[in-house]
Amino acid sequence: MSFESNVKLTITLSNPSLDADEQERETRNLLREIRDLDVESAELVGVAETPLGSKAFGGFLLGVLQAEVSIANFKKLLGFLGDRLGGKSIELEVEANGKKLKVKASSREELTAAIEQAQKFVAGN
């Protein structure tokens, strides 16, 4: 595997107790924090890329963001997500080497397992 390859992550936050404005604020805060890490890009997902069953808010999908990171920084980003999102319901889609992995987590333990699965997936194990 080439270390120049980047890993694309789609992170979907799911918190039914938040209204649309609160969900939007939480997503934008997470996006800002991810941009402070060493990532190639991080952005909200535009409505044009709407997955089936998603809700849109202000031209962007509610609670959905994408990040692209180098293989070298992938583990650091996953560690950050584990610390920041432990105990929250999220869906993580990882795309690397032309393959995709989609995992869901709604507890710290599930998120830890999902992160380990994503790391193995990217490593090709």
Side-chain angles (χ1 to χ4, degrees):
M1 171 181 9
S2 165
F3 282 98
E4 286 76 44
S5 298
N6 286 336
V7 179
K8 292 182 184 176
L9 292 125
T10 302
I11 304 158
T12 305
L13 304 173
S14 175
N15 189 342
S17 66
L18 297 179
D19 67 24
D21 287 333
E22 293 168 326
Q23 182 88 359
E24 172 79 359
R25 200 166 26 256
E26 186 174 284
T27 305
R28 287 186 182 275
N29 286 339
L30 179 62
L31 177 64
R32 194 169 27 258
E33 291 173 17
I34 288 175
R35 283 182 175 157
D36 287 342
L37 301 173
D38 193 8
V39 297
E40 304 301 313
S41 67
E43 58 206 28
L44 297 174
V45 176
V47 174
E49 305 166 37
T50 308
L52 192 63
S54 297
K55 295 179 184 171
F57 184 81
F60 297 98
L61 292 182
L62 189 59
V64 183
L65 59 94
Q66 288 182 324
E68 189 169 331
V69 65
S70 67
I71 296 284
N73 291 320
F74 178 65
K75 198 169 188 173
K76 183 164 77 169
L77 177 59
L78 287 182
F80 164 78
L81 292 175
D83 291 344
R84 176 71 166 73
L85 300 176
K88 295 185 179 183
S89 289
I90 70 161
E91 187 174 295
L92 188 63
E93 185 175 295
V94 181
E95 185 176 345
N97 306 316
K99 298 184 294 185
K100 287 186 180 182
L101 169 72
K102 191 179 246 184
V103 290
K104 292 183 180 185
S106 56
S107 69
R108 181 169 290 282
E109 294 76 24
E110 287 178 7
L111 183 58
T112 300
I115 287 171
E116 287 173 11
Q117 191 177 357
Q119 289 173 335
K120 288 179 183 174
F121 174 76
V122 168
N125 297 335

